[in-house]
Amino acid sequence: MTDAVLSRQAFPMPRSGCPFDPPPEYARLREEDPVAGAVLADGMPVWLVTRHADARAALTDPKISGDLRSAGCPVPGGGPAIPPGVRPPFARTDPPEHTLYRKLLLPSFTVKHVKAMRPRIREITGELLDAMAARPGSADLVEALALPLPSLVICDLLGIPYADHEFFQSRAKVVLSRASSPARFHEALRELREYMIGLLAAKRAEPADDILTKLVRAQAEHDIPDEDLATTAQALLNAGHETTANMISLGTVLLLRHPEALAELKADAALWPGAVEELLRYLSIGDLVSPRAAKEDVRIGDRVIRGGEGMFVLTGSANRDPAAFPDPDRFDVRRSARHHLAFGYGVHQCIGQNLARAELEIVFEALFDRFPALRVDTPVADLAYKRDAALFGLHDLRVSW
């Protein structure tokens, strides 16, 4: 990668203007330099894949690795992709290791299984909305709904006591934050591992109908150590609540900023599944969660990426590519957006996508039905945004009705 290429931009790039939009530089790169050279905060050179077609190609090419241990695999803030001695979660490994865990877990996330979960998701949503309605006309939506809903659902699915949510969410925040010191990172990671290993032991003693029990039963057959099971459970727990919580909070603000679209959705509930796809495309909160590294020389678009070089497949840019989505900066709940890349693509595509879709469809329809006069009290420019672990979301969101 030449100095001329590297001098073009530092990465990640700041957002400007509307906080729901990706960095404006993405549009220029798609047009002028779709596989662009960039440099991270620590000086590490990376490539940025910005077009939809190139992103799909990169995410399905067997010569490109999604394993965080691969030489050249980057992280947004610079530094090592994964600390020495730490095993990555299964989603950040390659086949055949990745394939084993995916086969074990997939039956719990199929369309059929998630459909059977919908009554429970509606029940949880209703209870949380009841608790909101009992408050004196206002609430922090993140605290009251956006975070507890997916947390309760994933805890049910995994077989984790929700009473422990403050413990695991506080430790997960440390592990996911790029601002954590190495000592605090390792301490939080150790605490989470010990907690998960204790839960696995409890499932051996008292099996249940949950994912942790299924993993324990598969352990002997596949010779899986406790440490790997704990890492897998922890990754599912983190992914199962963090991303969906961000989508609920940001999606609520976005829908309230488009009252005409919201009115259409209230009038015709059949539009909600398509609207959720458009929300996923438009917000692309996991924009930077697809770090990759070339295992050997590979061509993406007109660029040859050498073996050992890292890249980010920018789903936030790909989802605003006009070649894939006409007038992509327009939020349109009637758009056919199912081919967005918010869940990734290829063998590493998010295993929980069916669950996330169900949660979002149920919570948005129920929220706006229960609180038709819902409004955000804080100006959008003053909302507290976060971008930890390459995710984009809200710290808090004060609403009233």
Side-chain angles (χ1 to χ4, degrees):
M1 197 178 289
T2 67
D3 290 340
V5 171
L6 291 180
S7 65
R8 294 188 184 182
Q9 58 270 308
F11 189 79
M13 300 162 185
R15 293 174 181 248
S16 62
C18 177
F20 303 110
D21 290 336
E25 184 73 0
Y26 286 9
R28 186 192 68 79
L29 291 178
R30 283 194 306 268
E31 182 68 24
E32 300 176 9
D33 195 8
V35 184
V39 64
L40 300 180
D42 63 351
M44 180 181 181
V46 293
W47 295 101
L48 308 178
V49 181
T50 60
R51 289 180 178 172
H52 189 272
D54 291 341
R56 285 168 61 118
L59 293 172
T60 54
D61 195 313
K63 297 188 290 295
I64 295 177
S65 173
D67 194 315
L68 292 179
R69 297 163 295 188
S70 296
C73 192
V75 293
I82 191 166
V86 176
R87 189 178 185 87
F90 83 95
R92 302 307 180 119
T93 64
D94 289 334
E97 183 179 359
H98 175 268
T99 307
L100 167 63
Y101 287 99
R102 196 170 184 93
K103 285 183 177 178
L104 291 175
L105 296 168
L106 194 59
S108 298
F109 294 96
T110 61
V111 172
K112 181 179 179 180
H113 193 270
V114 170
K115 183 178 180 180
M117 293 175 62
R118 280 179 173 259
R120 175 58 179 152
I121 298 172
R122 290 192 183 95
E123 180 184 12
I124 294 172
T125 302
E127 291 171 353
L128 293 171
L129 293 177
D130 286 345
M132 270 183 64
R135 302 187 185 197
S138 68
D140 173 2
L141 193 73
V142 176
E143 176 188 297
L145 181 67
L147 187 57
L149 170 63
S151 295
L152 280 161
V153 171
I154 196 64
C155 282
D156 270 6
L157 192 58
L158 286 169
I160 293 175
Y162 182 70
D164 297 341
H165 73 281
E166 289 187 5
F167 166 82
F168 62 70
Q169 284 174 358
S170 66
R171 272 61 172 187
K173 187 176 295 185
V174 173
V175 171
L176 292 170
S177 175
R178 300 193 301 272
S180 300
S181 68
R184 186 69 189 98
F185 172 91
H186 285 289
E187 180 186 8
L189 196 65
R190 176 187 57 77
E191 291 173 340
L192 281 170
R193 292 287 191 280
E194 290 176 354
Y195 172 76
M196 287 297 179
I197 288 172
L199 281 179
L200 291 166
K203 296 300 178 182
R204 291 189 190 95
E206 296 184 31
D209 184 18
D210 53 47
I211 288 178
L212 291 186
T213 299
K214 292 173 184 177
L215 288 174
V216 166
R217 287 172 176 163
Q219 185 172 24
E221 179 184 353
H222 299 285
D223 193 27
I224 304 172
D226 269 4
E227 183 75 10
D228 289 5
L229 288 187
T231 299
T232 298
Q234 180 189 325
L236 289 172
L237 180 62
N238 293 342
H241 75 268
E242 177 79 4
T243 51
T244 306
N246 288 342
M247 277 298 304
I248 293 170
S249 58
L250 284 166
T252 297
V253 178
L254 184 62
L255 287 165
L256 288 172
R257 285 167 60 85
H258 290 82
E260 300 85 359
L262 187 54
E264 287 187 75
L265 293 166
K266 290 178 179 180
D268 184 0
L271 293 175
W272 275 113
V276 164
E277 300 301 331
E278 175 68 347
L279 284 164
L280 289 161
R281 178 199 74 85
Y282 193 86
L283 292 171
S284 297
I285 60 165
D287 179 27
L288 308 183
V289 297
S290 294
R292 294 291 187 268
K295 295 188 286 188
E296 57 186 271
D297 291 1
V298 60
R299 179 176 291 277
I300 299 294
D302 294 331
R303 186 83 69 181
V304 174
I305 298 176
R306 303 298 179 187
E309 293 183 341
M311 70 192 79
F312 283 100
V313 181
L314 298 181
T315 56
S317 176
N319 285 339
R320 295 293 185 99
D321 186 347
F325 304 98
D327 195 7
D329 294 327
R330 179 170 58 88
F331 178 65
D332 180 4
V333 296
R334 293 182 179 272
R335 182 195 302 273
S336 177
R338 190 72 185 219
H339 58 298
H340 64 75
L341 302 181
F343 293 117
Y345 193 66
V347 297
H348 290 93
Q349 191 170 37
C350 175
I351 197 170
Q353 60 181 299
N354 295 319
L355 179 59
R357 286 185 171 105
E359 290 173 330
L360 294 172
E361 289 171 22
I362 290 168
V363 72
F364 284 133
E365 182 178 359
L367 173 65
F368 291 111
D369 180 65
R370 185 67 176 274
F371 299 102
L374 190 74
R375 63 183 181 275
V376 175
D377 293 335
T378 310
V380 170
D382 295 337
L383 289 171
Y385 291 92
K386 63 180 178 180
R387 192 157 199 152
D388 287 340
L391 294 172
F392 180 53
L394 295 174
H395 284 296
D396 47 46
L397 177 60
R398 202 76 201 174
V399 297
S400 56
W401 51 90

